[in-house]
Amino acid sequence: MTFKEQIQQGIPSVLPQPKQYETSINHAPKRKEILTDEEKKLALQNALRYFEPKHHAELVPEFKNELETYGRIYMYRFRPDYEMKARPISEYPGKSEQAKAIMLMIQNNLDYAVAQHPHELITYGGNGAVFSNWAQYLLTMKYLSEMTEEQTLVMYSGHPMGLFPSHKEAPRVVVTNGMVIPNYSKPDDWERMNALGVSQYGQMTAGSYMYIGPQGIVHGTTITVLNGFRKIKKSPSGGLFVTSGLGGMSGAQPKAGTIAGCVTVCAEVNPKITKIRHEQGWIHEIIEDLNALVTRVKTALESKEVVSIAYLGNVVDVWEKFDQENLHIDLGSDQTSLHNPWAGGYYPTGFTFEESNEMMANNPEQFKVEVQKTLRRHAAAINKHTDKGTYFFDYGNAFLLEASRAGADVMNPNPTLGREFKYPSYVQDIMGPMCFDYGFGPFRWVCASGNPEDLAKTDKIACDVLEEMMKNSPIEIQQQMADNIQWIKGAQENKLVVGSQARILYADAEGRVKIAEAFNEAIANGEIGYVVLGRDHHDVSGTDSPYRETSNIYDGSRFTSDMAIHNVIGDSFRGATWVSIHNGGGVGWGEVINGGFGMVLDGSTEASKRLEMMLFWDVNNGISRRSWARNEGAVFAIKRAMENQPLLKVTLPNIVEEGLLDF
C-alpha cells in the first residue's frame, strides 16, 4: 500500500503482525499500577471498542500484557510501518488543504527527532501525548483524509469522536485534553483515567499538534537568559548558567545559552535523550565525571568560551559539587518535568537511571520519598549558591511548588500575595513585565511545503517587517523589537530546525498580523507555499497558570481561567483552523488551563481577513486581563491598541491613591 492508501485505510480490517519492542527507542517509563481488577477489565473493554469483535479474542491477551507491563494500552501492533515525519502538504490524501496541514502537524509531533517517547505517542514533558494509543492516531488520520470544508472533527482527549457537519468558516478540528471535573484533577486521577483510556495529558503543544521541537522554547529561553544577565548587570560572556533537563522543551536550554553567549551546564539523567541532543547539535559536550566537569567549566569561564555542556547525572550533585569547589554560578534554574514528579519527570539522586525506573514502577511510595528527599537537597544546595550571589528563577516547571510540598526551604520569610516563594518565577521578573504585558509572545509558523528555501524566505519577510516596524515603535518596546530582529537574523546559522521547517519569534499583535499578512501575500504571489501559523500556549493570553504564565497577576485572579477559555472561544469564531483547550501543561494536571490554535494561510483574501481578526483578539484578550490587574506595561499596551483600533473598547482600572488604604 502507498502512504496515502495507508492513511485512508485507518484501522485495518486485517490485523497487522505484532511489532517487536524496539529497545533503541527512548520509551516512556512504566506507569504505576493504579487500576483495580474491575477497572483493568474496563480498560480492556475501552481499548477493544476500536476493533471489530472478530479480533477481540486475539487482542485481549496482548492488550492485557501491555497494561500489566507498561501501565497503559498503547496498541504497539498498530504502529504504522511508514516513516513518521512531516511530509510536504502535497503528499497527504484529502479533500481539504486545511486538513492536510493538520495531518502534517500531527506527524511532526510524532517524528522520532522531535518526540520524546514516539512509540508511546508522547511528544514531550514525560506525559505530553498526541494520542493515548495507535488506534486513535489511525482513525484521526483517516477522518482528516475524508474531511470536507463543511465538516469539523471533534477530539476528546486523543479520541476522535467523529466528523460533524459545520461550515467553511468553522474550525476544522476542535481539541480538548484532560478537561475533567475540577474535583478530579489530582495526579492519581490522571493516572487512573489515562490507564482507562478515557483522558490524556496534552501538555501544551503536544495534544494540540503545534510542537516544533526544542526550537519552540529556544527563543523564549534565550530572551530569559539575556534578560537574566541584564538583571544582574553582567554580560553573558564569561558567565555561567546552570540548569537541568534535556527532554522535550527543556532540551532548548543549552542552545539558548549558546545563543546568549554564556557557559551552560545542563544536567540530565537519561543517557538516550542526552545522546540525541548531542547528535542534534543542541549540546557541545557530554561529561559524566564531576571533577572533570569542574575543570572544564573553570577553563571555559577563564577563556570566556561559549560552550554548552551536558552533565550525564543528577543536577543536585552538580549544585553541591560547585558549592564545594566555590565555583560561582551567575544564573540558575531547573526545567525537569516536575509537573509529573512521580512518573519520570524528576529523578532522585543516589540511584542509577534504571534503579529509579524500577522503583517508580514497583515501589512508587518509596520513589516518592526519595524524590522529595532529593528536592530538599536540591533546594538546600541552591540556597547556598544564592547566598553567594547566584540569581535563581523557577522556570515554570513546578520546581518551587513541588519543593515546597516536599518541605524544602523555598518559602519567602516575608510573603506577599503572589510572592509566596523565596525565588521568583521567570514570568514574574522577566517574561511577564518585559514581554507578556506588552503583548510580546511566541509566534510560530511552519512551511507546509517542507522546503527549507521557503523557511529562508519567511525568515527574511519577518525580519523586514520587524525592522520597518521598529522605525516607529515606542521606546517601551524597543528592546523587545531589537532582540527579535537579532534572533531572526541568526536563526539560519543557529540551525534550529528539528522536524518540520518551522520558526518562532516573539511578536506583539501588530507584529503577528503584519508578518502573517506578508506571508499570505507571498503565498498569493506564488513565492512560497502554504504556511501554518500557531503559537506556544505559553503566551500573553493562551494560558491561566498561577505559578507560571499568570504569576505576575497580583489582583487575586491568578487562580481563575476565564482568560484561557475565552481565548479559545474567541479564536474559534474569528477564523482559527483548529483550536485546543487543555487541563495541565508544564506545571501539572489540575494546576493550569491552557489553549492554543493553528491557522492555515493559503494566500486567499479570506485568510487575510481571518488572520487579522483572530490574531488581534488572541493577543489583546490577554493584555486586557493583565491591564485590569493593574500591570503598568499592559495598561500602556491596551491604550495603544485602542488608539489603533477604534472598535476596541476595554475597561481600564482606576488606581487607588497610595496611602489611602493604610489602616
Side-chain angles (χ1 to χ4, degrees):
M1 294 175 71
T2 65
F3 170 71
K4 287 185 177 181
E5 288 170 339
Q6 290 182 73
I7 293 291
Q8 292 169 319
Q9 173 186 231
I11 298 173
S13 56
V14 177
L15 290 182
Q17 290 299 307
K19 292 280 195 302
Q20 189 162 353
Y21 188 84
E22 295 184 27
T23 56
S24 61
I25 298 296
N26 190 37
H27 287 284
K30 179 185 177 182
R31 307 304 183 185
K32 70 178 180 181
E33 191 157 329
I34 197 166
L35 300 182
T36 64
D37 288 343
E38 184 180 7
E39 287 171 331
K40 288 177 182 176
K41 291 179 181 178
L42 182 58
L44 288 166
Q45 284 182 307
N46 289 344
L48 291 167
R49 58 187 163 178
Y50 286 102
F51 307 96
E52 297 175 40
K54 65 181 180 181
H55 298 312
H56 288 182
E58 182 176 348
L59 292 175
V60 164
E62 185 176 317
F63 288 175
K64 181 174 180 288
N65 180 63
E66 286 188 11
L67 186 60
E68 292 172 347
T69 305
Y70 310 113
R72 298 291 185 271
I73 300 172
Y74 295 115
M75 307 181 188
Y76 289 122
R77 176 197 290 254
F78 295 93
R79 185 168 51 79
D81 292 322
Y82 52 74
E83 184 180 1
M84 191 62 69
K85 66 177 183 178
R87 292 160 170 78
I89 192 171
S90 59
E91 294 185 19
Y92 290 94
K95 304 169 185 176
S96 164
E97 294 301 302
Q98 293 182 340
K100 291 180 185 180
I102 297 169
M103 285 192 271
L104 180 161
M105 298 301 293
I106 287 172
Q107 289 201 311
N108 185 65
N109 269 24
L110 295 170
D111 186 325
Y112 284 20
V114 174
Q116 186 179 15
H117 306 305
H119 286 190
E120 290 76 37
L121 301 117
I122 291 171
T123 301
Y124 68 98
N127 56 1
V130 187
F131 303 99
S132 294
N133 58 59
W134 284 103
Q136 292 177 347
Y137 166 84
L138 295 174
L139 190 53
T140 298
M141 297 295 277
K142 175 179 170 63
Y143 279 141
L144 289 169
S145 74
E146 297 171 346
M147 173 189 286
T148 72
E149 295 196 352
E150 301 291 329
Q151 292 172 302
T152 292
L153 176 61
V154 177
M155 300 294 301
Y156 276 33
S157 281
H159 169 64
M161 186 61 70
L163 291 169
F164 290 80
S166 60
H167 55 87
K168 190 175 181 181
E169 286 73 35
R172 296 281 67 81
V173 180
V174 177
V175 179
T176 57
N177 279 300
M179 297 305 291
V180 303
I181 306 303
N183 204 37
Y184 304 92
S185 272
K186 299 180 181 67
D188 275 358
D189 293 324
W190 170 74
E191 292 279 2
R192 182 172 291 103
M193 284 183 269
N194 194 226
L196 286 170
V198 296
S199 193
Q200 75 172 15
Y201 196 93
Q203 259 286 348
M204 299 181 102
T205 52
S208 54
Y209 326 141
M210 191 45 70
Y211 190 63
I212 59 170
Q215 180 189 174
I217 198 174
V218 170
H219 178 268
T221 306
T222 301
I223 297 296
T224 300
V225 173
L226 284 172
N227 283 314
F229 277 106
R230 286 168 183 156
K231 282 188 73 67
I232 62 174
K233 295 179 172 55
K234 180 175 179 178
S235 168
S237 179
L240 175 60
F241 172 43
V242 171
T243 186
S244 59
L246 284 172
M249 301 296 269
S250 58
Q253 295 177 107
K255 173 70 84 171
T258 296
I259 295 171
C262 63
V263 175
T264 304
V265 173
C266 190
E268 171 60 57
V269 296
N270 185 333
K272 285 183 180 176
I273 198 64
T274 304
K275 182 173 180 286
I276 288 170
R277 292 290 176 247
H278 187 249
E279 289 172 349
Q280 290 173 339
W282 292 74
I283 52 176
H284 296 126
E285 303 171 15
I286 301 173
I287 294 178
E288 299 184 42
D289 179 78
L290 281 170
N291 290 320
L293 179 66
V294 169
T295 301
R296 180 69 183 93
V297 170
K298 286 181 176 178
T299 301
L301 291 173
E302 286 170 6
S303 61
K304 295 190 175 182
E305 183 181 354
V306 178
V307 64
S308 59
I309 303 165
Y311 172 68
L312 185 53
N314 200 294
V315 72
V316 178
D317 300 325
V318 175
W319 282 100
E320 291 177 343
K321 181 67 173 178
F322 283 13
D323 174 55
Q324 293 165 10
E325 299 289 335
N326 206 26
L327 185 52
H328 179 69
I329 299 171
D330 295 292
L331 299 185
S333 193
D334 182 87
Q335 209 175 94
T336 51
S337 297
L338 265 163
H339 68 275
N340 181 32
W342 323 126
Y346 184 89
Y347 282 75
T349 191
F351 301 88
T352 65
F353 184 59
E354 293 73 23
E355 289 169 344
S356 292
N357 283 329
E358 164 115 18
M359 193 193 325
M360 188 195 313
N362 301 322
N363 193 352
E365 290 307 313
Q366 185 60 36
F367 183 78
K368 183 174 181 178
V369 168
E370 296 297 338
V371 163
Q372 291 194 320
K373 188 190 300 181
T374 300
L375 279 168
R376 291 192 290 272
R377 274 181 60 182
H378 196 162
I382 289 167
N383 290 341
K384 289 182 179 179
H385 283 276
T386 57
D387 286 345
K388 295 187 246 183
T390 296
Y391 175 69
F392 182 86
F393 55 89
D394 184 296
Y395 217 134
N397 64 332
F399 171 73
L400 290 175
L401 186 62
E402 287 301 332
S404 69
R405 290 168 176 169
D409 180 15
V410 294
M411 304 310 296
N412 188 345
N414 300 300
T416 59
L417 287 175
R419 294 279 184 171
E420 296 88 352
F421 296 117
K422 184 178 289 190
Y423 304 112
S425 155
Y426 74 114
V427 173
Q428 286 181 300
D429 280 7
I430 298 174
M431 301 307 286
M434 296 181 182
C435 293
F436 293 169
D437 284 354
Y438 288 101
F440 283 81
F443 179 60
R444 299 179 174 188
W445 66 89
V446 177
C447 295
S449 66
N451 188 345
E453 292 180 7
D454 275 9
L455 184 61
K457 289 175 183 176
T458 58
D459 284 345
K460 185 178 186 310
I461 290 170
C463 188
D464 289 346
V465 168
L466 292 178
E467 287 185 324
E468 185 61 32
M469 284 177 59
M470 190 173 174
K471 293 176 183 177
N472 299 306
S473 62
I475 188 67
E476 287 85 351
I477 60 172
Q478 285 282 317
Q479 185 67 67
Q480 291 91 325
M481 297 293 291
D483 284 347
N484 281 283
I485 290 168
Q486 179 183 344
W487 161 266
I488 200 68
K489 283 183 173 179
Q492 293 283 329
E493 64 187 58
N494 284 318
K495 298 179 181 178
L496 298 163
V497 170
V498 176
S500 61
Q501 294 296 313
R503 186 69 72 225
I504 183 173
L505 56 76
Y506 268 38
D508 60 4
E510 181 186 7
R512 298 183 207 201
V513 169
K514 286 185 174 179
I515 292 170
E517 284 178 336
F519 288 168
N520 201 51
E521 185 178 343
I523 296 166
N525 294 337
E527 298 167 26
I528 57 175
Y530 285 11
V531 171
V532 180
L533 300 182
R535 58 161 168 74
D536 190 357
H537 300 194
H538 173 63
D539 197 8
V540 180
S541 67
T543 297
D544 280 296
S545 181
Y547 296 107
R548 193 161 79 175
E549 282 78 3
T550 44
S551 61
N552 71 317
I553 301 290
Y554 301 112
D555 68 349
S557 70
R558 64 191 173 119
F559 294 100
T560 66
S561 61
D562 302 79
M563 180 178 73
I565 299 297
H566 269 291
N567 182 262
V568 168
I569 294 171
D571 285 356
S572 297
F573 65 77
R574 286 180 172 87
T577 306
W578 73 97
V579 292
S580 62
I581 187 78
H582 302 178
N583 166 23
V587 295
W589 177 270
E591 304 284 359
V592 53
I593 299 294
N594 61 83
F597 76 87
M599 174 176 273
V600 179
L601 301 183
D602 59 7
S604 66
T605 54
E606 290 81 6
S608 180
K609 291 175 185 176
R610 287 198 300 268
L611 73 86
E612 184 172 0
M613 187 163 44
M614 199 219 76
L615 293 174
F616 183 86
W617 158 258
D618 191 67
V619 176
N620 281 294
N621 168 44
I623 298 176
S624 301
R625 186 267 181 95
R626 292 169 184 278
S627 72
W628 187 238
R630 296 180 290 271
N631 292 15
E632 289 184 21
V635 172
F636 165 84
I638 204 64
K639 285 181 177 178
R640 184 167 173 252
M642 285 192 282
E643 290 171 4
N644 294 332
Q645 172 51 272
L647 294 178
L648 179 66
K649 306 288 183 184
V650 173
T651 308
L652 295 174
N654 291 297
I655 309 301
V656 177
E657 184 180 336
E658 192 173 342
L660 189 61
L661 300 178
D662 292 343
F663 53 81

